[in-house]
């Protein structure tokens, strides 16, 4: 199994409790998801390569560190993954954003892509797939397969809450993908919701339902 990293920073855990709370309305829910995504992004990008550059301070010339130019791509899985994008762009504004929308055909059980627009140089970018809820892991695994078919070589998956079933499934399907989550919950219920979870992330983000 590739690495699963639990991001248990106190700020992340504190905000996550309010995100879970059913009395948190859409405006606060959206803002909190954005903030948590930004904090998580800090950990997810911890291994970004640096290079040495020369700069001039007001005092003298000195060597300093700068990102080496390895490019990042953020790919939210529609629609709930969208809620995590803006927070990440605050930290990595040069990242390009792709979008993937897919569902499972209930008869064939095959993933059906209804939307896919990706940066053209996806093979040269470190891709971070976002989806707040890793439930069965089906859509995340299918989205990662799609990204690999389109040429992605370096992929991480960032979610907010994962069910053990989803972690196991994605890890089995994609041995090369590191997964980052702020919580590993107990289980899935009979309707495929994570328990205790936060309910339907898409509905809570966009005020639908
Ligand atoms: N998707 C959600 O939005 N919530 C869950 O609990 C599971 C999948």
């Amino acid at each position: 199994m590739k690495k699963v990293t639990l991001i248990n920073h106190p700020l992340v855990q504190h905000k996550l409790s309010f995100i879970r709370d059913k009395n948190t309305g859409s405006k606060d829910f959206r803002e909190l998801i954005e903030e948590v995504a930004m904090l998580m992004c800090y950990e997810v990008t911890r291994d970004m390569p640096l290079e040495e550059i020369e700069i001039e301070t007001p005092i003298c010339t000195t060597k300093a560190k700068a990102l080496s130019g390895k490019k990042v791509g953020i790919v939210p899985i529609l629609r709930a993954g969208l809620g995590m994008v803006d927070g990440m762009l605050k930290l990595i504004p040069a990242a390009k954003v792709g979008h993937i929308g897919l569902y499972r055909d209930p008869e064939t059980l095959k993933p059906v892509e209804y939307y896919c627009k990706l940066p053209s140089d996806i093979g040269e970018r470190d891709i971070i797939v976002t989806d707040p809820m890793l439930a069965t892991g089906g859509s995340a695994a299918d989205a990662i397969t799609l990204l690999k078919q389109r040429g992605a070589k370096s992929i991480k998956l960032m979610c907010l809450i994962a069910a053990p079933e989803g972690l196991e499934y994605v890890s089995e399907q994609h041995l090369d993908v590191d997964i980052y989550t702020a919580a590993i919950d107990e289980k899935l219920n009979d309707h495929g919701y994570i328990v205790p979870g936060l309910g339907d992330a898409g509905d809570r983000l966009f005020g639908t339902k």
Side-chain angles (χ1 to χ4, degrees):
M1 195 196 260
K2 203 46 175 152
K3 219 169 43 170
V4 175
T5 302
L6 179 65
I7 301 181
N8 56 6
H9 189 288
L11 286 172
V12 171
Q13 294 304 314
H14 176 82
K15 288 174 192 293
L16 182 58
S17 303
F18 288 93
I19 290 172
R20 287 184 187 275
D21 190 329
K22 69 174 188 183
N23 294 313
T24 300
S26 280
K27 177 178 179 291
D28 290 338
F29 187 87
R30 261 196 306 273
E31 287 173 5
L32 285 161
I33 295 248
E34 185 178 326
E35 288 169 14
V36 168
M38 183 165 67
L39 293 165
M40 291 183 75
C41 183
Y42 175 79
E43 287 297 335
V44 175
T45 53
R46 190 171 271 291
D47 60 354
M48 276 175 120
L50 290 170
E51 63 185 6
E52 209 160 70
I53 56 167
E54 199 169 271
I55 55 160
E56 270 185 56
T57 75
I59 311 297
C60 66
T61 301
T62 186
K63 295 215 175 353
K65 302 255 195 289
L67 292 172
S68 76
K70 186 82 170 81
K71 299 182 207 155
V72 174
I74 302 168
V75 181
I77 301 177
L78 300 178
R79 73 187 156 142
L82 287 173
M84 300 170 88
V85 174
D86 285 351
M88 299 178 71
L89 283 174
K90 289 217 165 102
L91 291 193
I92 23 178
K96 294 255 165 75
V97 182
H99 294 87
I100 290 185
L102 39 76
Y103 66 91
R104 282 267 166 123
D105 183 303
E107 269 161 30
T108 65
L109 296 182
K110 293 234 157 60
V112 181
E113 165 196 325
Y114 65 85
Y115 190 79
C116 183
K117 184 89 182 171
L118 301 170
S120 54
D121 56 355
I122 191 165
E124 288 147 41
R125 292 182 178 266
D126 285 333
I127 301 299
I128 305 173
V129 176
T130 65
D131 195 354
M133 308 303 279
L134 184 63
T136 61
S139 345
D142 293 343
I144 293 167
T145 301
L146 192 75
L147 284 165
K148 288 181 176 173
Q149 285 165 353
R150 304 284 163 98
K153 295 187 186 74
S154 158
I155 304 175
K156 292 175 178 174
L157 172 64
M158 178 174 145
C159 50
L160 213 57
I161 300 178
E165 295 89 332
L167 284 176
E168 198 177 323
Y169 185 70
V170 174
S171 305
E172 271 171 18
Q173 300 292 311
H174 297 289
L175 297 171
D176 54 331
V177 172
D178 283 333
I179 305 173
Y180 296 79
T181 184
I184 301 173
D185 275 10
E186 211 178 297
K187 59 176 183 185
L188 292 179
N189 68 15
D190 294 342
H191 304 286
Y193 281 95
I194 298 177
V195 180
L198 53 70
D200 189 303
D203 281 343
R204 294 195 61 192
L205 268 172
F206 298 109
T208 44
K209 198 175 173 195

